[in-house]
Amino acid sequence: MKKSTSVAWQSPSNIAIVKYWGKHGKQYPRNASISLTLSAAATTTMITSTPADGLRVSYLYQGRDKPEFADRVERILGQWAESELPGLRDLHLEINSYNSFPHSSGIASSASFMSSLALGIVDILSAGGLSPEDAGAMRRVSHLSRLGSGSACRSIYPSVAVWGEHAAYDGSSDDHAIAWADVHAIFETYHDDILIVSSAEKAVSSSAGHALMEGHPYAATRYEQAAVHMQWMRDILRAGDIEAFGEIMENEALTLHGLMMNSPTSYILLEPATLSIISEIRAFRKEKQIPVYFTLDAGPNIHMLYPHSEEARVSDWREEVLRPHYQFAIRDRVGRGAKKLSAHEASQILRPDADFAN
Ligand code: PMV
C-alpha cells in the first residue's frame, strides 16, 4: 500500500516598514527591507502527499476549485521541483488552503500563502520533521517562499524580519530573510488596524510595479534612501523610539506610492478615502499627542499602527471619526510567525463551510 503523509502549517501576512520595491534576477531585492509579522491575517495550508510517477498537484482554495490559483501553485511547485527539490518529482500533492481574510479584500495574500506552502512542502520532504526552531531549515523555507513571492520570505519569523543584505544587520541576505530580535519590547505590543478602503482587484500588479523601477529616474536615489532608513531603523528598533519609527514608516509608504505616480508609466493606487484617513491620522496625532502612524502596501488600504497602550483611545476615535472612510477593518497585531498545526486544529480551520474570521 502507498504511504501518505499529511502536514498543516499556518503562516501570517507581514507589513513592511522599510519597503522592498524593485527586484532583479530570480526575485532578488534591489534594497533591504524590514517588516512586522502579523497574526490575524494568515493562511493555513494542509498538504497530503502520496508517491506518484512525476509531480501531480490538486489544489483547493477555501474548499473549492480555484483554477487561477491552482495554475500559480503548479508553476511554483514545478519550479521548486526542477531547481531545488527533486524529491517533489515523484509525489502526488493534495493541497488545501484557507485564508483568514477575504481574498478579494485587497490584502495581499501571496505572502501568507506562499510561506505556508513552502513550510508544508519542506515539512513533507523531511517526513514531518520541520521545526521553527531549526534556523537552517527556516532559512531554506524563507528562500523557497521568496521564489514564490518576494515579501513572503519575511512572514515566517516572529515579530520582526529583515530581508536583503545590509551592513547594519548581521546575517542579512538577499537570498532569504532572517529574524531580527534586537527590538525593544514596545514593538511586540503593536497593533495594525488594516482599514479596507477598497476591496477591488489592483489595477497594476506588484510584479508590474517592481518592473517599473527598472529605468525609473529616481531608482538609484530610492535604493540609497532605503539603505539609510534601514540603518536608522536598526537603532530605532533597539531604542524603542516610536516617533522616529512612525516618521520613517510614513515616509516609506508615501515614497512607495510616489514612485508609482512619478514613474514614466504613471499609475495611482491611492483612493480619495486613503488621503482622508491619512489627514485624520495626522491631525489626531498632533492634537492628542498619540503615537499612531500609517503605512500602505501596494494598494489603497491603510495600515494604522500604534502600541497596545493606546488601544482604547485609538478605537474610540477610529469608530467615531474614521469609520465613514473605510468598508471594514481587520484588527491585527504583531505575531509570533508561522506555526505547525495538528490534524485536528487544521480540520477545524479547513472545514468547507468555514467562514471568514472578519
Ligand atoms: O512580494 P511582492 O512582490 O508582492 O512585493 C511586495 C511589495 C510591498 O508590499 C509594496 C513592499 C514590501 O516590502 O512588502
Side-chain angles (χ1 to χ4, degrees):
M1 217 180 72
K2 290 189 168 180
K3 195 170 166 295
S4 80
T5 314
S6 291
V7 300
W9 284 80
Q10 188 171 67
S11 192
S13 189
N14 70 81
I15 180 69
I17 306 303
V18 175
K19 308 287 183 185
Y20 144 63
W21 198 239
K23 62 179 173 181
H24 63 100
K26 285 194 163 179
Q27 301 257 94
Y28 291 112
R30 289 281 184 202
N31 64 268
S33 58
I34 190 162
S35 58
L36 297 180
T37 302
L38 298 178
S39 49
T43 302
T44 298
T45 294
M46 188 175 201
I47 307 178
T48 300
S49 78
T50 39
D53 296 327
L55 171 63
R56 285 177 47 216
V57 180
S58 1
Y59 177 72
L60 292 181
Y61 171 75
Q62 260 23 7
R64 297 182 195 96
D65 280 327
K66 186 95 177 169
E68 65 271 33
F69 286 12
D71 287 351
R72 195 161 174 209
V73 170
E74 276 182 39
R75 254 201 323 277
I76 188 67
L77 286 168
Q79 196 184 323
W80 290 343
E82 197 184 304
S83 59
E84 354 227 332
L85 303 174
L88 283 181
R89 289 179 205 156
D90 49 10
L91 291 180
H92 177 206
L93 301 169
E94 286 169 82
I95 303 173
N96 200 332
S97 70
Y98 169 78
N99 276 2
S100 65
F101 51 96
H103 160 64
S104 57
S105 68
I107 302 282
S109 58
S110 54
S112 54
F113 173 66
M114 278 300 168
S115 52
S116 67
L117 183 67
L119 285 155
I121 291 294
V122 170
D123 200 16
I124 288 275
L125 293 176
S126 48
L130 176 64
S131 156
E133 313 305 320
D134 180 343
M138 293 307 265
R139 280 197 292 275
R140 185 152 179 71
V141 169
S142 177
H143 159 84
L144 293 165
S145 306
R146 173 178 68 77
L147 297 175
S149 169
S151 57
C153 72
R154 297 185 308 238
S155 267
I156 60 177
Y157 298 114
S159 307
V160 179
V162 169
W163 170 38
E165 196 179 333
H166 191 292
Y169 296 84
D170 279 349
S172 59
S173 164
D174 285 356
D175 183 61
H176 57 80
I178 57 169
W180 191 250
D182 188 7
V183 172
H184 190 283
I186 186 93
F187 295 110
E188 314 266 344
T189 78
Y190 258 63
H191 286 246
D192 177 1
D193 291 353
I194 310 170
L195 309 178
I196 308 299
V197 161
S198 163
S199 47
E201 193 90 355
K202 275 188 286 189
V204 180
S205 70
S206 54
S207 293
H210 288 290
L212 286 173
M213 285 303 286
E214 299 308 302
H216 192 297
Y218 301 140
T221 316
R222 160 59 191 157
Y223 303 140
E224 277 167 36
Q225 177 204 38
V228 171
H229 284 169
M230 286 297 286
Q231 177 78 43
W232 292 344
M233 201 43 90
R234 189 203 46 195
D235 300 337
I236 288 167
L237 288 172
R238 184 183 287 156
D241 184 346
I242 57 180
E243 278 79 25
F245 176 82
E247 295 297 336
I248 293 178
M249 178 171 79
E250 290 194 354
N251 183 288
E252 280 284 319
L254 296 176
T255 297
L256 169 71
H257 284 265
L259 290 164
M260 296 172 189
M261 291 190 266
N262 62 27
S263 68
T265 308
S266 167
Y267 65 109
I268 301 178
L269 297 182
L270 302 176
E271 297 280 342
T274 316
L275 298 178
S276 302
I277 295 174
I278 288 175
S279 72
E280 292 291 1
I281 289 175
R282 288 184 162 177
F284 178 66
R285 183 166 77 227
K286 196 162 173 209
E287 191 190 317
K288 305 281 187 208
Q289 298 291 303
I290 292 178
V292 50
Y293 291 84
F294 69 86
T295 187
L296 302 154
D297 56 20
N301 303 315
I302 294 275
H303 288 249
M304 187 167 74
L305 277 79
Y306 53 91
H308 182 61
S309 55
E310 306 293 350
E311 185 189 15
R313 289 200 292 172
V314 171
S315 287
D316 289 348
W317 161 78
R318 187 190 61 234
E319 292 307 311
E320 200 181 309
V321 176
L322 298 186
R323 191 64 197 88
H325 299 298
Y326 61 84
Q327 294 175 356
F328 64 96
I330 297 175
R331 300 189 58 195
D332 215 330
R333 293 192 65 165
V334 168
R336 303 302 304 155
K339 63 177 183 199
K340 187 166 180 165
L341 302 184
S342 68
H344 176 70
E345 287 167 327
S347 67
Q348 296 295 303
I349 290 173
L350 294 168
R351 66 191 197 280
D353 61 340
D355 210 347
F356 292 112
N358 292 284

